[in-house]
Amino acid sequence: MALEHAILVSLLEKPGSGYELARRFERSIGHFWTATHQQIYRVLKRMEADGWVDVRDVPQQGRPDKKEYAVSASGLSALAEWLHEPVQPESVRHDLAVKVRGAAFDDPAALIGEVERHRRMHRDRLAHYLEGERRDFGGSDAAGTPDSGASGPGGSDAGRELQHAVLRGGIAYERMMIAWLGDVLDTLHRLASRR
Amino acid sequence: MALEHAILVSLLEKPGSGYELARRFERSIGHFWTATHQQIYRVLKRMEADGWVDVRDVPQQGRPDKKEYAVSASGLSALAEWLHEPVQPESVRHDLAVKVRGAAFDDPAALIGEVERHRRMHRDRLAHYLEGERRDFGGSDAAGTPDSGASGPGGSDAGRELQHAVLRGGIAYERMMIAWLGDVLDTLHRLASRR
DNA sequence: CCCAGCATGTAACGGGTTACATGATTAG
DNA sequence: CTAATCATGTAACCCGTTACATGCTGGG
C-alpha cells in the first residue's frame, strides 16, 4: 500500500488541498497511481492524525475555503523509511489479456473493435505525454540547461530529472502497448479470415 | 472485476480444482492476473451458486479428494457477454515510479540497489517467458505447423495463437521494463555523481 | 520424525469503488 | 435557469491480503 507515500511525494512537490490532490491523481501522478477523492480524503485524515502532514485553513473568495496540506518533518522521514525498504513486484491486472485468451471460446473477430478502442486510447495518451515532455522538458537538450525555476515541475534539478525519467517510462509503456495491440489485431484478423 | 472471467477462461482451457487454479494463477495466468487460493475458493463458490460452473467430486488415492470444476453453458454465455462489453482502461499501480519521484526528497543513490533488484526480477521473468515460448510455440515458425494436439497449451488452434499473442505481450512488457529501468539507473548514477 | 506437497477452507482487516449529499460561485 | 467547477465529506459494499486451521501422504 503506497497511496500514503504517493500523496507525500505529491505534497512535497507542491502543497495543496485534498481536492487539488484528487485532480493531480487524474493527471500526472494518475498515470502510474490512481485514487479517487474519497480515498484521498480518508487517507489524508489518517495522515493528519499520524502527524505526517500539517493542515492550514486557507480562506478564499468566490470559492469555498480549502485546507492546504503540507508534509511535516515526520512525514518526510516516513517517506525516507519507505524508500529504503524493498517493494514487492507489483501485481498486474490486464483485463485485455484475459479477454484475448477468452476470445478463443467466442468469436475472435468480435474483439477487434475493443482492441482498436484500446489502441486509440493508448495513442491519445502517448500524444499527451509527448506534448507534456515537449512543454516541460526541452525539445532536444540532452543534459543541458541547468535552469529550472521557470514554470516546469517541482523544485530541484534532481526532481525535474526524476520526473522526466518517470515520464519516459510512461512513454515507453504506451509505445509498447500500441505495438502489442497492433500485433494482437493482426492475430485476430488472421484468425477471422481463416474460416 | 474480472476474476470470475479469468477463472472461466482458465477452466475452459482445462477443467480443474480450486487448488489447481491457484497454481495456474501463480504461473501462466498469474503473469497478467493474480489471485490467491482464498479468493479463488470464495469466487468459485459464488460461481457455483450462480450456475456458471459444474462441480464433480473426484476421489483420488494417495492424495485428498478434489472437486473438479468445469464451465457450464450459462458460464460460457456469461463469458461471451463480458467479452462483448467494453472494459475500462485498467488502473495502473507502479510503486517504483512513486519511489523514483520520491527519491528527489531523499538520497537518489539509495534507490540504485532497489532498481537493480527490480531489473533482475524482470530479466528473470523475461528469460522464463522466452523459455516457455520456445517450449510451447515452435522455435522459428511464423505461421506453420498446424498440429497442436501434442502437449502445447489448451485446445484449439485459435486458442494456441491467442495464448501466444498474450505471451508476446508479456515479453514486450518485460523488455520495455528492463530498458526503462536501465534508463532510470543511468539517471540515478548521473545525479549521484553530480555533487 | 519432520517437512513438503496436496487440498479445502474460515476470519478479520483494510483498501478501492460507487453512490449519495451539500453548498457556493461563475459561465452560458 | 442550468450546468460546471470548486470543495469536502459519509456510507455501503466488495475485493484483496494475511493469518490461521485441518488433515492426509510420501520422501529424506
Side-chain angles (χ1 to χ4, degrees), chain A residues 1-193:
Chain A
M1 192 267 320
L3 177 53
E4 268 118 323
H5 303 103
I7 289 177
L8 285 176
V9 170
S10 188
L11 287 179
L12 281 167
E13 289 174 355
K14 190 168 177 10
S17 68
Y19 186 85
E20 283 162 357
L21 281 169
R23 307 218 63 222
R24 291 184 213 170
F25 275 87
E26 282 170 4
R27 352 178 96 249
S28 59
I29 314 170
H31 297 311
F32 50 87
W33 200 276
T34 53
T36 59
H37 79 272
Q38 292 89 340
Q39 269 182 86
I40 291 168
Y41 284 123
R42 189 160 58 184
V43 171
L44 227 31
K45 223 166 233 175
R46 188 173 60 221
M47 290 169 77
E48 192 191 340
D50 292 347
W52 288 17
V53 291
D54 298 318
V55 202
R56 190 171 64 97
D57 273 347
V58 179
Q60 294 185 119
Q61 54 196 34
R63 293 200 283 189
D65 298 352
K66 65 177 182 177
K67 301 184 187 171
E68 195 178 76
Y69 291 87
V71 177
S72 69
S74 93
L76 185 59
S77 74
L79 178 68
E81 204 178 309
W82 177 69
L83 286 174
H84 288 279
E85 71 195 22
V87 287
Q88 71 278 39
E90 62 266 4
S91 57
V92 198
R93 219 132 279 200
H94 285 299
D95 300 72
L96 250 195
V98 178
K99 280 200 172 190
V100 170
R101 266 169 90 147
F105 306 98
D106 193 71
D107 179 18
L111 246 192
I112 289 174
E114 172 82 339
V115 176
E116 281 172 341
R117 198 174 60 87
H118 277 255
R119 188 168 60 167
R120 246 177 284 128
M121 295 190 308
H122 285 285
R123 280 179 172 158
D124 287 350
R125 214 184 293 173
L126 174 61
H128 180 244
Y129 285 174
L130 289 173
E131 191 202 313
E133 189 183 33
R134 229 178 309 119
R135 180 173 18 88
D136 292 336
F137 309 97
S140 59
D141 65 316
T145 54
D147 75 303
S148 76
S151 67
S156 67
D157 205 33
R160 264 190 63 116
E161 291 218 36
L162 291 168
Q163 283 189 28
H164 193 182
V166 170
L167 180 57
R168 287 195 301 272
I171 290 168
Y173 178 76
E174 299 305 328
R175 288 198 165 126
M176 183 277 299
M177 282 300 286
I178 291 163
W180 177 62
L181 291 172
D183 178 7
V184 170
L185 282 172
D186 288 348
T187 307
L188 290 173
H189 279 125
R190 214 169 342 108
L191 290 173
S193 70

Side-chain angles (χ1 to χ4, degrees), chain B residues 108-129:
Chain B
L111 246 190
I112 289 175
E114 173 81 339
V115 176
E116 281 172 342
R117 198 173 60 86
H118 278 253
R119 188 168 61 168
R120 246 177 284 128
M121 295 190 307
H122 286 284
R123 280 179 173 157
D124 288 350
R125 215 183 292 173
L126 174 61
H128 180 244
Y129 284 174

